Each structure stands twice: as structure tokens, then as C-alpha cells.
């Protein structure tokens, strides 16, 4: 397998240009710049808020210096609170080409769009010079999430991903799972797999925090679509979600943007710390995908039963579909049919092997279905976290 060597020593599996707007007022200009490069590896990300937010800044730092990112254009209105100069210096320190485009200083929309296009043409030429090097499993970071779950998810797609996780970690990869709000009722199972007793207690506290958060918001992570798909309770859904994590010991609890450095299995806490405050988001799949990418994920394994068509900016998304009828209906969006467990009697081990094989192919450049279709969804909001965990670089 081959990857792209960055000047900071990390290796990526894609060589994309990121155009990042730093306030919603700059979104249109940034989108117009990106639309001129349709079909090319130019991705749009951004932060819509204007009020200062440390979480969003940390996320943008990590996303703009992700190993799949080769160059960055920052698009600013000019008067927002986001620290564009500081972010540009951080990106430049990583060795990536970076430019700032301030709309108020460049004559408005039309002239800013034209200047942005010129900058991206220069970036495109520079990225052709990036060195391709060997990429093995010890370089790989993979995350997993489920969306549109149904009654099939818990015994087809989710445990198949768990089998793949066990293989990938054994080969030296870093794997992470999250969704503490969808592990309610599984606290004891999570705690039993912690590498030590202290971590076990921390994991239980994390899931209880998620339960309290959802209660304060007036809902939990159980949707109407889950019920239509045959699930009955959040605990039943949680057992299925839990099976995505495989069977190996959990090495540490991390928070969004914390980047593990050692091979192993990690659990990510995506629920904000402290009491619910203004600006806390309604958690959604793409926001959580972005948080795992900000923690270094090259690839996301996405399990679904009822079906989900989303992809993501920056890192490829592999769709593992647990329901054979959904796979047939949405075959253009699904990468792997875990529903074969139902219709053909395929084993979980066989599906795990298939996921690992496709992961290797995607590393080597094969486009996932969402990449082929041009899906580059992105979501980033306001959150508050207390950082400073062990076994991670931030």
C-alpha cells in the first residue's frame, strides 16, 4: 500500500486541498471557489459561528493539518473572532502550503472568488510533488459510527465491523469507536474491557454523562426511524452499537481532537462536559465523523440498517449495510452488503475479512461509493471539553 508523506512525518491516504471558511459570512465565497474544482480533491469545511470557541478552533487546527490534507486556503470575512493568523501559522508550521483570503480586504465576493481560484491552481501544482511512500497498517487510524440503525444492524453490520477492528488492531492500527449516548445500558460491558480499573470507572462515568445530557435535552439517541426498523429500546440499540467495537481491551478514553499515538482500541467521548449551555449542538452523525477525523482517522467505517447516504470531507467513508433489502434499494451508496449474513448464511468472520480487504484497497486509492458520488458532508458546532488525557498528543 502507498500513502502521501507529509513534512511533519505523518502519512495520509488522500492528497486533498481544504478550503475552510472561518465564519458563515464567508461560506458562500468559499463554496464558489470549491465549486470551480468539481471532481477534483478540493473539499469545503468551515465554522459558521462568530463567537469565540476553543473547541472549534482546536478542531480546525487538527482538520487543516490532517494527514490526508496537503494544502489549505482559509477564507475569512475579516471581522469575525476566529484567529485566522494564528491558525495559518499553525498550519504553516506543519509544512503544508497555506494561504489566507480576507474578503473585506480583497474587494468583495467576485474578486475574492477569482483570487481563491488562482491560489488553488497553485496548490494543485504543488501537491503533484508530494512523495508517495509505503503505508502499512501501523500507520492507519480508523473510526466507526452507525447511523440509520434497524433490527438487523446489531447482528450483521455492527459485529462485522467489530471483527474488522480486531484484525486491524492486531496488525498495528489505531481504531476508535464512540457514541456514548448509544451505549446506555452497556456500561458494565465497557468497563469489563478497560485495560485497568481506573479507566473502567472513567468509561462508566462517560456513559452516565451522556444519559444525563440526553435527559436534559428531552430526548435520547433513539429515533422514530429506529423503531420503524424494528428496534424497541435504547438498550437494545446500544447492544448493537456496542458490537462495532470488537472484543479487544479498551486502551484509553479520548475526546475529539485528541490523537492516539499507540496501536490499540480507543473510546471517544463526544458529549460536552458540564451542564448544557448555549450553543451545545444537537449531535448528528456527520459532526461525530468530523470529530473522529480530527483525532486522526484516515477512514470511517459507517454501519447502517435503514440506510444513510452521507460521506465526509477529508477522510473516506466505507458504508457497511446490515439489511439486505436496504442494500438492494441503495446499492449505489453502499460499499459492503453485511446482509449476506441473513440471505446467504455468510459468517461474521467472512464479513470482517471483506471490510479489511476493502479498507486496504481504499488506502491504496480505491474510491468509496460516497467519494464516487461526491459526498463531502461536514458539520462543526460549539462544544466544551476538558482536555488533557494520557496516551494522546493534542
Amino acid at each position: 500500500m502507498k500513502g502521501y508523506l507529509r513534512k511533519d512525518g505523518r502519512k495520509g491516504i488522500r492528497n486533498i486541498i481544504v478550503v475552510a471558511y472561518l465564519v458563515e459570512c464567508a461560506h458562500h465565497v468559499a463554496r464558489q471557489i470549491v465549486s470551480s474544482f468539481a471532481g477534483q480533491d478540493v473539499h469545503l469545511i468551515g465554522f459558521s459561528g462568530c463567537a469565540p470557541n476553543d473547541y472549534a478552533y482546536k478542531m480546525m487546527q487538527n482538520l487543516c493539518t490532517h494527514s490526508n490534507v496537503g494544502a489549505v486556503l482559509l477564507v475569512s470575512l475579516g471581522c469575525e473572532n476566529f484567529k485566522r493568523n494564528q491558525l495559518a501559522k499553525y498550519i504553516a508550521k506543519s509544512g503544508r502550503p497555506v494561504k489566507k483570503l480576507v474578503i473585506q480586504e480583497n474587494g468583495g465576493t467576485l474578486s475574492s472568488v477569482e483570487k481563491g481560484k488562482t491560489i488553488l491552481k497553485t496548490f494543485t501544482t504543488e501537491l503533484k510533488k508530494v512523495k508517495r511512500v509505503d503505508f502499512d497498517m501501523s500507520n492507519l487510524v480508523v473510526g466507526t459510527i452507525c447511523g440509520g440503525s434497524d433490527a438487523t444492524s446489531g447482528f450483521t453490520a455492527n459485529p462485522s465491523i467489530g471483527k474488522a477492528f480486531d484484525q486491524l488492531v492486531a496488525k498495528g492500527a489505531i481504531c476508535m469507536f464512540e457514541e456514548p449516548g448509544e451505549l446506555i445500558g452497556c456500561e458494565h460491558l465497557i468497563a469489563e474491557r478497560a485495560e485497568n480499573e481506573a479507566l473502567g470507572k472513567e468509561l462508566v462515568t462517560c456513559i452516565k454523562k451522556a444519559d444525563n445530557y440526553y435527559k436534559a435535552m428531552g430526548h435520547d439517541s433513539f429515533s422514530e426511524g429506529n423503531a420503524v426498523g424494528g428496534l424497541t429500546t435504547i438498550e437494545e440499540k446500544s447492544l448493537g452499537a456496542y458490537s462495532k467495537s470488537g472484543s479487544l481491551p479498551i486502551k484509553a478514553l479520548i475526546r475529539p481532537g485528541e490523537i492516539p499515538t499507540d496501536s490499540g482500541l480507543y473510546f471517544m467521548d463526544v458529549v460536552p462536559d458540564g451542564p448544557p449551555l448555549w450553543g451545545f449542538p444537537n449531535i448528528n452523525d456527520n459532526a461525530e465523523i468530523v470529530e473522529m477525523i480530527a483525532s486522526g482517522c484516515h477512514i470511517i467505517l459507517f454501519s447502517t440498517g435503514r440506510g444513510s447516504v452521507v460521506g465526509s470531507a477529508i477522510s473516506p467513508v466505507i458504508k457497511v449495510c446490515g439489511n439486505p433489502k436496504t442494500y438492494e434499494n441503495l446499492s449505489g451508496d453502499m460499499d459492503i452488503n453485511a446482509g449476506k449474513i441473513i440471505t446467504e448464511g455468510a459468517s461474521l468472520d467472512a464479513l470482517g475479512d471483506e471490510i479489511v480487504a476493502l479498507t486496504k484497497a481504499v488506502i491504496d486509492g480505491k474510491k468509496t461509493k460516497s467519494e464516487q458520488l461526491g459526498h463531502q458532508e461536514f458539520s462543526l458546532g460549539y462544544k466544551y471539553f476538558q482536555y488533557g488525557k494520557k496516551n494522546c498528543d493534542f
Side-chain angles (χ1 to χ4, degrees):
M1 298 181 294
K2 293 290 184 179
Y4 296 90
L5 180 63
R6 303 302 174 196
K7 291 183 179 179
D8 58 12
R10 293 188 296 163
K11 298 176 183 179
I13 66 169
R14 295 292 184 265
N15 195 29
I16 69 170
I17 297 170
V18 156
V19 177
Y21 59 90
L22 305 182
V23 66
E24 184 61 25
C25 310
H27 190 165
H28 177 76
V29 168
R31 186 173 60 249
Q32 290 298 306
I33 294 168
V34 171
S35 65
S36 300
F37 293 82
Q40 301 183 47
D41 287 329
V42 179
H43 293 198
L44 178 66
I45 70 172
F47 177 60
S48 61
C50 190
N53 184 257
D54 290 341
Y55 158 81
Y57 182 77
K58 291 171 184 175
M59 293 298 100
M60 292 294 281
Q61 275 188 326
N62 283 21
L63 294 167
C64 290
T65 57
H66 190 279
S67 55
N68 287 349
V69 174
V72 182
L73 172 62
L74 302 177
V75 183
S76 161
L77 176 61
C79 55
E80 70 276 1
N81 282 288
F82 207 100
K83 300 173 183 176
R84 61 178 178 272
N85 294 327
Q86 185 174 318
L87 179 58
K89 289 178 182 178
Y90 184 89
I91 298 167
K93 191 176 179 180
S94 76
R96 288 163 176 77
V98 57
K99 292 289 185 181
K100 295 175 294 180
L101 178 61
V102 182
I103 297 168
Q104 291 172 347
E105 298 174 4
N106 280 279
T109 297
L110 293 178
S111 57
S112 295
V113 170
E114 289 306 311
K115 183 172 182 179
K117 291 179 185 178
T118 300
I119 293 170
L120 261 57
K121 288 177 183 176
T122 302
F123 283 167
T124 300
T125 300
E126 291 186 54
L127 291 193
K128 291 178 181 177
K129 302 174 185 176
V130 177
K131 187 178 180 181
R132 292 273 277 169
V133 297
D134 290 335
F135 188 106
D136 58 41
M137 287 299 183
S138 65
N139 303 125
L140 180 65
V141 186
V142 180
T144 187
I145 187 173
C146 51
S149 299
D150 70 5
T152 70
S153 300
F155 66 93
T156 57
N158 288 348
S160 297
I161 289 174
K163 291 288 187 179
F165 261 30
D166 287 352
Q167 285 193 47
L168 292 169
V169 171
K171 295 176 185 293
I174 292 169
C175 291
M176 64 182 71
F177 68 110
E178 44 91 73
E179 298 171 299
E182 296 183 10
L183 290 171
I184 294 168
C186 296
E187 296 88 339
H188 61 295
L189 299 175
I190 291 286
E192 288 170 359
R193 288 173 57 196
E195 282 198 349
N196 56 67
E197 185 178 352
L199 175 60
K201 292 179 180 178
E202 197 175 4
L203 294 172
V204 170
T205 299
C206 169
I207 296 171
K208 288 182 177 178
K209 181 183 71 168
D211 190 20
N212 292 334
Y213 177 88
Y214 280 118
K215 286 176 180 175
M217 293 292 100
H219 68 88
D220 58 22
S221 189
F222 190 88
S223 72
E224 181 179 344
N226 296 149
V228 172
L231 291 171
T232 59
T233 63
I234 183 61
E235 289 81 6
E236 182 184 21
K237 181 179 179 181
S238 293
L239 286 169
Y242 169 77
S243 67
K244 298 197 308 298
S245 63
S247 63
L248 299 178
I250 299 169
K251 197 173 190 69
L253 177 68
I254 63 173
R255 289 189 166 94
E258 292 180 329
I259 301 176
T261 55
D262 300 323
S263 173
L265 179 66
Y266 294 80
F267 179 51
M268 177 180 285
D269 179 7
V270 299
V271 177
D273 294 329
L277 300 171
W278 172 81
F280 277 7
N282 185 345
I283 295 172
N284 63 76
D285 293 336
N286 275 98
E288 294 177 348
I289 288 173
V290 165
E291 289 171 328
M292 288 190 288
I293 294 173
S295 286
C297 287
H298 296 94
I299 292 173
I300 303 297
L301 303 178
F302 193 123
S303 164
T304 186
R306 299 209 66 200
S308 173
V309 301
V310 301
S312 178
I314 298 178
S315 295
V317 174
I318 294 175
K319 292 288 180 48
V320 182
C321 184
N323 189 318
K325 291 184 178 180
T326 301
Y327 182 84
E328 182 179 355
N329 184 41
L330 299 176
S331 59
D333 290 273
M334 302 295 127
D335 296 286
I336 289 179
N337 178 17
K340 291 184 291 187
I341 292 171
I342 298 172
T343 58
E344 301 174 18
S347 69
L348 289 174
D349 287 329
L351 265 297
D353 292 344
E354 187 175 344
I355 294 169
V356 171
L358 180 55
T359 298
K360 291 179 179 179
V362 170
I363 291 170
D364 237 1
K366 179 181 174 67
K367 298 290 187 182
T368 66
K369 292 289 183 66
S370 62
E371 285 184 289
Q372 294 171 31
L373 293 166
H375 281 282
Q376 297 178 10
E377 284 83 353
F378 183 87
S379 179
L380 179 63
Y382 289 87
K383 286 189 180 181
Y384 169 73
F385 287 100
Q386 296 176 0
Y387 289 98
K389 295 296 172 183
K390 296 179 182 179
N391 302 318
C392 301
D393 286 336
F394 187 76

